Amino acid sequence: MFRFRRSAPRLSVDEARTRTSGDRPEAVLLDVREKSEWKAGHAPDAVHAPLTGLAAGAALPAAAQRRPLVVICRSGHRSQQAVKLLAERNADAVDVEGGMNAWAAAGFPVVDERGNTGSTA
């Protein structure tokens, strides 16, 4: 089981969107949910890397390597686990408080695997 540092920084969805959007985003939005969740709905510019794969030793996708990472899941629990794991790999990573549930509640776009309006459920 992972142990969390209580002082680990967390971002609001507003901060996450600011850091990961625009012409030259300062960070990559890394979605660590499972494939079925990703297919149902994710942020349009997110990169997918399931926590189960990362925990098993999978490498980060090329688009996320050597970049600051803003890690998101459904509610914020798995993203905290992923940040801990990524920190052990010397990655610069922070998680999003409230996850995709908060992202969608803020009115930010969610798309499915085909680019249509998606769901976080």
Side-chain angles (χ1 to χ4, degrees), residues 52-73:
T52 53
L54 294 173
L60 284 168
Q65 292 179 7
R66 293 176 295 285
R67 298 276 318 273
L69 304 171
V70 173
V71 184
I72 197 164
C73 65

Side-chain angles (χ1 to χ4, degrees), residues 42-118:
H42 56 273
D45 295 323
V47 172
H48 188 223
L51 177 59
T52 53
L54 294 173
L60 284 168
Q65 292 179 7
R66 293 176 295 285
R67 298 276 318 273
L69 304 171
V70 173
V71 184
I72 197 164
C73 65
R74 182 185 295 183
S75 64
H77 180 72
R78 285 176 285 178
S79 59
Q80 286 181 305
Q81 293 176 353
V83 165
K84 172 70 173 160
L85 184 119
L86 292 165
E88 291 170 358
R89 297 182 185 183
N90 296 314
D92 177 8
V94 296
D95 83 296
V96 180
E97 190 168 15
M100 284 300 297
N101 289 337
W103 181 276
F108 298 149
V110 177
V111 297
D112 67 12
E113 65 179 326
R114 294 189 176 124
N116 299 316
T117 300

Side-chain angles (χ1 to χ4, degrees), residues 28-39:
V28 171
L29 184 62
L30 185 70
D31 191 320
V32 296
R33 295 175 302 145
E34 294 305 313
K35 188 175 184 178
S36 62
E37 295 171 290
W38 168 264
K39 287 173 129 181

